[in-house]
Amino acid sequence: MEDDAQRASHGGRASSWLAVTVIVLGFAIGGVGLCLGPMWPLFWMGAAVCVLGGILLLAFQVFRDVVLDAPRVPYRQAGAEPSE
């Protein structure tokens, strides 16, 4: 079995970044559509691209890209008293 510390990463998988990029692109398309008029067909096209990105998020299981860090312990619980 693989050690959790070795597979923990802050970067995420390429498929996760692809899904996020699609959502950001859809948001930008919708924002441009609102600023130019508003041009409702362009806005709804951006909304559809965002929905496509959401489907990709679910299909790629983005929420499994979890960073497994050791729990952080406050100073007082760790025994190191701050100097006053």
Side-chain angles (χ1 to χ4, degrees), residues 4-82:
D4 287 341
Q6 291 177 346
R7 67 179 186 157
S9 170
H10 291 280
R13 295 173 298 177
S15 59
S16 301
W17 281 107
L18 173 67
V20 170
T21 303
V22 168
I23 290 175
V24 169
L25 182 64
F27 188 81
I29 291 169
V32 168
L34 283 177
C35 291
L36 295 177
M39 294 176 63
W40 292 111
L42 190 60
F43 169 77
W44 288 114
M45 186 173 61
V49 171
C50 285
V51 169
L52 174 67
I55 293 169
L56 289 175
L57 287 176
L58 295 174
F60 294 153
Q61 298 177 346
V62 171
F63 295 112
R64 289 191 173 195
D65 289 348
V66 177
V67 177
L68 300 172
D69 287 340
R72 288 164 174 72
V73 180
Y75 288 117
R76 293 182 191 262
Q77 290 180 0
E81 293 292 324

